[in-house]
Amino acid sequence: MRRFVVVGHRAITSSKFNLNDLCGATGRLDVLLRCINSAFFLSHDIRRDVELYLILQGEPEPPKTIRLVGDELKYLNPDERSTAALIRNALIKKIGKDEEMSTPGIYISKNGLEEVIKGLAKNSTLVYLREDGGIFEPTEKEQDYTFILSDDKDMDEKEEALLKVYEPEIVSLGSISYHSDHCIVIVNNLMDRFSNNSR
Amino acid sequence: MRRFVVVGHRAITSSKFNLNDLCGATGRLDVLLRCINSAFFLSHDIRRDVELYLILQGEPEPPKTIRLVGDELKYLNPDERSTAALIRNALIKKIGKDEEMSTPGIYISKNGLEEVIKGLAKNSTLVYLREDGGIFEPTEKEQDYTFILSDDKDMDEKEEALLKVYEPEIVSLGSISYHSDHCIVIVNNLMDRFSNNSR
C-alpha cells in the first residue's frame, strides 16, 4: 500500500463553503483537492493501491481527517469542483467518536495528525517530505510507505516535534520547492518506476 | 527554454462555456487547465523559463492556439476556475492573421498544430511523449526542449504523420499511462534534477 498524509493547516472543517470560490474562502482546501487528483488518477483508471489522508485543521471544528481509499472510491472525477462537492458531502456528516463513510471510499473522522500518524507508524515506513531533506530514493521492493506532506504552509514546531517521535525518513524531491499536489505526482512516478524495475 | 505543446482534440474554441461545468461542456478544456498549473507553478513562484502551447481543436472555430509565456504571466492562480476565466478572456478576442495578447503572458492565434511545430522545430529539440516510447532521460545540459503531448485522446493518424516529418524523439515516463498534467509535472521534475546535476 502507498499512503499519503497531507496537512491542511487552515483547511475548513465545515461544509459551508462556496464551490465557486474554492481558492478564497476555504483555507486553501483547493490545495488538498488537487492532492486527491494527484494521488489517485491514472489515464482511464484510479490507483487502487493508494490511500490518502487529508488532515483539516481550519475552523470551525478542527481537526477532522478525511480518508480516501483507492480500492473503494466511486464518483471521483478529475476536476476540482466535483471533487470539492464530494469533500463537502463528507463535511456535512455529523461525526462522533468513530470514523464514518460519506460516499464509497471517502471516510471522515475527528482524528488529527497525531492519531493518524500513530496508527500508520505501526505497519508503514514513514517518509516526511521537507524542502531540506535528502533526495528520495525508494529502497525496498513493495515497501509499505506513508509519505507525509504539508500544504502551502510548513509544518509548525508542534507538528515537527510530533513527527520526530516516529523518526521518519526526511526527504526532498530536488532543490526546487514544489506544490504539494506536484510532489504527490512525482512520488507516484518514482515509486512506479521503482516497483517496475525491481519486479 | 522549456516548452510544452498540448493538443486538446475536442477543446472548445469559443468563450461561451460555463465556469461551473468545465469538465462537461468544454471538450475537456479542464485537462488543458490542469496542464497550465503543472507547467508553471512552483511553491510561491512561477516558472519563468517555461512556455506552454495549448492547441484547441474543438468547435466552433478550430484550430486556435493559446500560448502562455512564464516570463510575462500575470493574474495566474493555481485553481482551475480562475485559470478557466483567463482562458475564456483569450477566447473572447476576435483574432485575424496575427497572434493577439489577451492578458499579460497569454496570447491567442488561429495557428494549429502544424504551424506551432513548424515554428518550434527550427530551434528546439522535439520530444513526443507517447505511451510506447522509450524511457525519457535528458541528455544535454540547458538544452532547448519542446515536449509534445496529447490530452485524454491519443494523436490521430494525421497528427502522427505531421509529427513524424520533424523526427521527434519518442519517449514515455514509465510503463504506466498518466494524465497529461501529471506528465508535465514529472518532466519538469526530471529536467530540474538534470539541470541541477549537470551544473
Side-chain angles (χ1 to χ4, degrees), chain A residues 39-60:
Chain A
F40 292 107
F41 278 101
L42 288 173
S43 205
H44 313 293
D45 205 358
I46 277 183
R47 291 182 184 269
R48 303 289 161 194
D49 61 340
V50 166
E51 204 173 66
L52 171 65
Y53 293 75
L54 305 174
I55 318 281
L56 281 56
Q57 300 187 342
E59 292 302 325

PDB file of all heavy atoms in Angstrom, chain A residues 39-60:
ATOM      1  N   ALA A  39      -3.052  11.958  -6.271  1.00  0.00           N
ATOM      2  CA  ALA A  39      -2.850  10.685  -5.600  1.00  0.00           C
ATOM      3  C   ALA A  39      -3.489   9.534  -6.377  1.00  0.00           C
ATOM      4  O   ALA A  39      -2.931   8.440  -6.447  1.00  0.00           O
ATOM      5  CB  ALA A  39      -3.430  10.741  -4.183  1.00  0.00           C
ATOM      6  N   PHE A  40      -4.649   9.787  -6.991  1.00  0.00           N
ATOM      7  CA  PHE A  40      -5.452   8.667  -7.491  1.00  0.00           C
ATOM      8  C   PHE A  40      -5.535   8.502  -9.004  1.00  0.00           C
ATOM      9  O   PHE A  40      -5.719   7.389  -9.491  1.00  0.00           O
ATOM     10  CB  PHE A  40      -6.879   8.747  -6.927  1.00  0.00           C
ATOM     11  CG  PHE A  40      -6.927   8.505  -5.459  1.00  0.00           C
ATOM     12  CD1 PHE A  40      -7.165   9.541  -4.561  1.00  0.00           C
ATOM     13  CD2 PHE A  40      -6.682   7.237  -4.949  1.00  0.00           C
ATOM     14  CE1 PHE A  40      -7.172   9.320  -3.193  1.00  0.00           C
ATOM     15  CE2 PHE A  40      -6.698   7.000  -3.580  1.00  0.00           C
ATOM     16  CZ  PHE A  40      -6.943   8.049  -2.704  1.00  0.00           C
ATOM     17  N   PHE A  41      -5.432   9.602  -9.773  1.00  0.00           N
ATOM     18  CA  PHE A  41      -5.766   9.434 -11.184  1.00  0.00           C
ATOM     19  C   PHE A  41      -4.632   8.890 -12.040  1.00  0.00           C
ATOM     20  O   PHE A  41      -3.506   9.382 -12.013  1.00  0.00           O
ATOM     21  CB  PHE A  41      -6.277  10.750 -11.790  1.00  0.00           C
ATOM     22  CG  PHE A  41      -7.726  10.942 -11.484  1.00  0.00           C
ATOM     23  CD1 PHE A  41      -8.119  11.794 -10.471  1.00  0.00           C
ATOM     24  CD2 PHE A  41      -8.689  10.220 -12.161  1.00  0.00           C
ATOM     25  CE1 PHE A  41      -9.458  11.931 -10.146  1.00  0.00           C
ATOM     26  CE2 PHE A  41     -10.030  10.353 -11.847  1.00  0.00           C
ATOM     27  CZ  PHE A  41     -10.422  11.215 -10.834  1.00  0.00           C
ATOM     28  N   LEU A  42      -4.997   7.866 -12.796  1.00  0.00           N
ATOM     29  CA  LEU A  42      -4.180   7.382 -13.902  1.00  0.00           C
ATOM     30  C   LEU A  42      -5.003   7.628 -15.156  1.00  0.00           C
ATOM     31  O   LEU A  42      -6.207   7.905 -15.082  1.00  0.00           O
ATOM     32  CB  LEU A  42      -3.924   5.879 -13.745  1.00  0.00           C
ATOM     33  CG  LEU A  42      -2.965   5.490 -12.632  1.00  0.00           C
ATOM     34  CD1 LEU A  42      -2.931   3.985 -12.469  1.00  0.00           C
ATOM     35  CD2 LEU A  42      -1.564   6.020 -12.932  1.00  0.00           C
ATOM     36  N   SER A  43      -4.363   7.510 -16.302  1.00  0.00           N
ATOM     37  CA  SER A  43      -5.098   7.634 -17.545  1.00  0.00           C
ATOM     38  C   SER A  43      -6.150   6.513 -17.585  1.00  0.00           C
ATOM     39  O   SER A  43      -5.795   5.343 -17.578  1.00  0.00           O
ATOM     40  CB  SER A  43      -4.097   7.490 -18.688  1.00  0.00           C
ATOM     41  OG  SER A  43      -4.548   8.109 -19.826  1.00  0.00           O
ATOM     42  N   HIS A  44      -7.407   6.884 -17.555  1.00  0.00           N
ATOM     43  CA  HIS A  44      -8.513   5.918 -17.639  1.00  0.00           C
ATOM     44  C   HIS A  44      -8.551   4.909 -16.491  1.00  0.00           C
ATOM     45  O   HIS A  44      -9.038   3.800 -16.652  1.00  0.00           O
ATOM     46  CB  HIS A  44      -8.481   5.157 -18.980  1.00  0.00           C
ATOM     47  CG  HIS A  44      -8.280   6.068 -20.139  1.00  0.00           C
ATOM     48  ND1 HIS A  44      -9.218   6.990 -20.535  1.00  0.00           N
ATOM     49  CD2 HIS A  44      -7.230   6.230 -20.986  1.00  0.00           C
ATOM     50  CE1 HIS A  44      -8.756   7.677 -21.569  1.00  0.00           C
ATOM     51  NE2 HIS A  44      -7.554   7.246 -21.858  1.00  0.00           N
ATOM     52  N   ASP A  45      -8.014   5.267 -15.350  1.00  0.00           N
ATOM     53  CA  ASP A  45      -8.091   4.356 -14.203  1.00  0.00           C
ATOM     54  C   ASP A  45      -7.843   5.125 -12.912  1.00  0.00           C
ATOM     55  O   ASP A  45      -7.420   6.284 -12.936  1.00  0.00           O
ATOM     56  CB  ASP A  45      -7.044   3.235 -14.343  1.00  0.00           C
ATOM     57  CG  ASP A  45      -7.458   1.973 -13.581  1.00  0.00           C
ATOM     58  OD1 ASP A  45      -8.509   1.989 -12.923  1.00  0.00           O
ATOM     59  OD2 ASP A  45      -6.719   0.977 -13.658  1.00  0.00           O
ATOM     60  N   ILE A  46      -8.104   4.441 -11.798  1.00  0.00           N
ATOM     61  CA  ILE A  46      -7.815   5.006 -10.476  1.00  0.00           C
ATOM     62  C   ILE A  46      -6.823   4.086  -9.782  1.00  0.00           C
ATOM     63  O   ILE A  46      -6.887   2.869  -9.930  1.00  0.00           O
ATOM     64  CB  ILE A  46      -9.138   5.156  -9.674  1.00  0.00           C
ATOM     65  CG1 ILE A  46      -9.826   6.472 -10.077  1.00  0.00           C
ATOM     66  CG2 ILE A  46      -8.898   5.113  -8.177  1.00  0.00           C
ATOM     67  CD1 ILE A  46     -11.078   6.785  -9.326  1.00  0.00           C
ATOM     68  N   ARG A  47      -5.886   4.662  -9.072  1.00  0.00           N
ATOM     69  CA  ARG A  47      -4.895   3.849  -8.348  1.00  0.00           C
ATOM     70  C   ARG A  47      -5.588   3.164  -7.174  1.00  0.00           C
ATOM     71  O   ARG A  47      -6.005   3.824  -6.226  1.00  0.00           O
ATOM     72  CB  ARG A  47      -3.770   4.730  -7.811  1.00  0.00           C
ATOM     73  CG  ARG A  47      -2.872   5.307  -8.880  1.00  0.00           C
ATOM     74  CD  ARG A  47      -1.768   6.130  -8.209  1.00  0.00           C
ATOM     75  NE  ARG A  47      -0.933   6.796  -9.193  1.00  0.00           N
ATOM     76  CZ  ARG A  47       0.177   6.271  -9.718  1.00  0.00           C
ATOM     77  NH1 ARG A  47       0.563   5.073  -9.367  1.00  0.00           N
ATOM     78  NH2 ARG A  47       0.883   6.955 -10.599  1.00  0.00           N
ATOM     79  N   ARG A  48      -5.653   1.846  -7.258  1.00  0.00           N
ATOM     80  CA  ARG A  48      -6.359   1.064  -6.229  1.00  0.00           C
ATOM     81  C   ARG A  48      -5.504   0.857  -4.985  1.00  0.00           C
ATOM     82  O   ARG A  48      -6.012   0.561  -3.917  1.00  0.00           O
ATOM     83  CB  ARG A  48      -6.754  -0.307  -6.798  1.00  0.00           C
ATOM     84  CG  ARG A  48      -7.600  -0.246  -8.050  1.00  0.00           C
ATOM     85  CD  ARG A  48      -8.997   0.236  -7.752  1.00  0.00           C
ATOM     86  NE  ARG A  48      -9.660   0.712  -8.970  1.00  0.00           N
ATOM     87  CZ  ARG A  48     -10.778   1.428  -8.965  1.00  0.00           C
ATOM     88  NH1 ARG A  48     -11.370   1.782  -7.837  1.00  0.00           N
ATOM     89  NH2 ARG A  48     -11.325   1.830 -10.086  1.00  0.00           N
ATOM     90  N   ASP A  49      -4.187   0.988  -5.125  1.00  0.00           N
ATOM     91  CA  ASP A  49      -3.259   0.684  -4.021  1.00  0.00           C
ATOM     92  C   ASP A  49      -2.827   1.933  -3.262  1.00  0.00           C
ATOM     93  O   ASP A  49      -1.803   1.933  -2.578  1.00  0.00           O
ATOM     94  CB  ASP A  49      -2.027  -0.043  -4.573  1.00  0.00           C
ATOM     95  CG  ASP A  49      -1.283   0.821  -5.595  1.00  0.00           C
ATOM     96  OD1 ASP A  49      -1.905   1.766  -6.139  1.00  0.00           O
ATOM     97  OD2 ASP A  49      -0.087   0.571  -5.842  1.00  0.00           O
ATOM     98  N   VAL A  50      -3.609   3.012  -3.411  1.00  0.00           N
ATOM     99  CA  VAL A  50      -3.259   4.262  -2.716  1.00  0.00           C
ATOM    100  C   VAL A  50      -4.344   4.630  -1.699  1.00  0.00           C
ATOM    101  O   VAL A  50      -5.533   4.427  -1.945  1.00  0.00           O
ATOM    102  CB  VAL A  50      -3.051   5.414  -3.739  1.00  0.00           C
ATOM    103  CG1 VAL A  50      -3.028   6.778  -3.045  1.00  0.00           C
ATOM    104  CG2 VAL A  50      -1.754   5.210  -4.520  1.00  0.00           C
ATOM    105  N   GLU A  51      -3.892   5.166  -0.586  1.00  0.00           N
ATOM    106  CA  GLU A  51      -4.792   5.706   0.428  1.00  0.00           C
ATOM    107  C   GLU A  51      -4.295   7.116   0.757  1.00  0.00           C
ATOM    108  O   GLU A  51      -3.089   7.325   0.875  1.00  0.00           O
ATOM    109  CB  GLU A  51      -4.728   4.808   1.671  1.00  0.00           C
ATOM    110  CG  GLU A  51      -5.937   4.870   2.552  1.00  0.00           C
ATOM    111  CD  GLU A  51      -5.859   3.829   3.676  1.00  0.00           C
ATOM    112  OE1 GLU A  51      -4.966   3.950   4.542  1.00  0.00           O
ATOM    113  OE2 GLU A  51      -6.689   2.919   3.695  1.00  0.00           O
ATOM    114  N   LEU A  52      -5.229   8.057   0.882  1.00  0.00           N
ATOM    115  CA  LEU A  52      -4.856   9.451   1.135  1.00  0.00           C
ATOM    116  C   LEU A  52      -5.577   9.962   2.378  1.00  0.00           C
ATOM    117  O   LEU A  52      -6.791   9.801   2.501  1.00  0.00           O
ATOM    118  CB  LEU A  52      -5.245  10.303  -0.085  1.00  0.00           C
ATOM    119  CG  LEU A  52      -5.151  11.822   0.033  1.00  0.00           C
ATOM    120  CD1 LEU A  52      -3.709  12.291   0.231  1.00  0.00           C
ATOM    121  CD2 LEU A  52      -5.745  12.497  -1.218  1.00  0.00           C
ATOM    122  N   TYR A  53      -4.811  10.568   3.279  1.00  0.00           N
ATOM    123  CA  TYR A  53      -5.373  11.178   4.491  1.00  0.00           C
ATOM    124  C   TYR A  53      -5.225  12.692   4.380  1.00  0.00           C
ATOM    125  O   TYR A  53      -4.102  13.183   4.262  1.00  0.00           O
ATOM    126  CB  TYR A  53      -4.608  10.716   5.742  1.00  0.00           C
ATOM    127  CG  TYR A  53      -4.755   9.260   6.088  1.00  0.00           C
ATOM    128  CD1 TYR A  53      -4.087   8.278   5.361  1.00  0.00           C
ATOM    129  CD2 TYR A  53      -5.554   8.845   7.147  1.00  0.00           C
ATOM    130  CE1 TYR A  53      -4.225   6.934   5.670  1.00  0.00           C
ATOM    131  CE2 TYR A  53      -5.693   7.501   7.473  1.00  0.00           C
ATOM    132  CZ  TYR A  53      -5.026   6.556   6.728  1.00  0.00           C
ATOM    133  OH  TYR A  53      -5.158   5.227   7.042  1.00  0.00           O
ATOM    134  N   LEU A  54      -6.337  13.401   4.442  1.00  0.00           N
ATOM    135  CA  LEU A  54      -6.295  14.862   4.469  1.00  0.00           C
ATOM    136  C   LEU A  54      -6.612  15.309   5.893  1.00  0.00           C
ATOM    137  O   LEU A  54      -7.691  15.001   6.416  1.00  0.00           O
ATOM    138  CB  LEU A  54      -7.327  15.444   3.496  1.00  0.00           C
ATOM    139  CG  LEU A  54      -7.223  14.967   2.041  1.00  0.00           C
ATOM    140  CD1 LEU A  54      -8.386  15.515   1.219  1.00  0.00           C
ATOM    141  CD2 LEU A  54      -5.884  15.398   1.435  1.00  0.00           C
ATOM    142  N   ILE A  55      -5.661  16.012   6.501  1.00  0.00           N
ATOM    143  CA  ILE A  55      -5.852  16.460   7.892  1.00  0.00           C
ATOM    144  C   ILE A  55      -6.299  17.920   7.847  1.00  0.00           C
ATOM    145  O   ILE A  55      -5.500  18.804   7.520  1.00  0.00           O
ATOM    146  CB  ILE A  55      -4.537  16.363   8.699  1.00  0.00           C
ATOM    147  CG1 ILE A  55      -3.781  15.072   8.390  1.00  0.00           C
ATOM    148  CG2 ILE A  55      -4.801  16.564  10.182  1.00  0.00           C
ATOM    149  CD1 ILE A  55      -4.255  13.845   9.054  1.00  0.00           C
ATOM    150  N   LEU A  56      -7.548  18.171   8.148  1.00  0.00           N
ATOM    151  CA  LEU A  56      -8.114  19.527   8.067  1.00  0.00           C
ATOM    152  C   LEU A  56      -8.016  20.186   9.441  1.00  0.00           C
ATOM    153  O   LEU A  56      -8.593  19.695  10.408  1.00  0.00           O
ATOM    154  CB  LEU A  56      -9.582  19.454   7.621  1.00  0.00           C
ATOM    155  CG  LEU A  56      -9.849  19.259   6.135  1.00  0.00           C
ATOM    156  CD1 LEU A  56      -9.176  18.040   5.561  1.00  0.00           C
ATOM    157  CD2 LEU A  56     -11.354  19.181   5.865  1.00  0.00           C
ATOM    158  N   GLN A  57      -7.300  21.295   9.474  1.00  0.00           N
ATOM    159  CA  GLN A  57      -7.045  21.933  10.776  1.00  0.00           C
ATOM    160  C   GLN A  57      -7.623  23.341  10.854  1.00  0.00           C
ATOM    161  O   GLN A  57      -7.272  24.112  11.752  1.00  0.00           O
ATOM    162  CB  GLN A  57      -5.531  21.977  11.032  1.00  0.00           C
ATOM    163  CG  GLN A  57      -4.880  20.605  11.071  1.00  0.00           C
ATOM    164  CD  GLN A  57      -3.425  20.653  11.479  1.00  0.00           C
ATOM    165  OE1 GLN A  57      -2.790  21.696  11.425  1.00  0.00           O
ATOM    166  NE2 GLN A  57      -2.891  19.524  11.889  1.00  0.00           N
ATOM    167  N   GLY A  58      -8.506  23.688   9.937  1.00  0.00           N
ATOM    168  CA  GLY A  58      -9.090  25.036   9.959  1.00  0.00           C
ATOM    169  C   GLY A  58     -10.357  25.095  10.807  1.00  0.00           C
ATOM    170  O   GLY A  58     -10.826  24.084  11.328  1.00  0.00           O
ATOM    171  N   GLU A  59     -10.897  26.295  10.924  1.00  0.00           N
ATOM    172  CA  GLU A  59     -12.152  26.492  11.668  1.00  0.00           C
ATOM    173  C   GLU A  59     -13.310  25.881  10.889  1.00  0.00           C
ATOM    174  O   GLU A  59     -13.155  25.597   9.718  1.00  0.00           O
ATOM    175  CB  GLU A  59     -12.364  27.998  11.885  1.00  0.00           C
ATOM    176  CG  GLU A  59     -11.336  28.641  12.833  1.00  0.00           C
ATOM    177  CD  GLU A  59     -11.308  28.020  14.212  1.00  0.00           C
ATOM    178  OE1 GLU A  59     -12.380  27.613  14.721  1.00  0.00           O
ATOM    179  OE2 GLU A  59     -10.209  27.901  14.772  1.00  0.00           O
ATOM    180  N   PRO A  60     -14.469  25.607  11.492  1.00  0.00           N
ATOM    181  CA  PRO A  60     -14.825  25.897  12.885  1.00  0.00           C
ATOM    182  C   PRO A  60     -14.648  24.710  13.835  1.00  0.00           C
ATOM    183  O   PRO A  60     -14.778  24.907  15.037  1.00  0.00           O
ATOM    184  CB  PRO A  60     -16.310  26.243  12.780  1.00  0.00           C
ATOM    185  CG  PRO A  60     -16.795  25.381  11.643  1.00  0.00           C
ATOM    186  CD  PRO A  60     -15.647  25.260  10.679  1.00  0.00           C
TER     187      PRO A  60
END
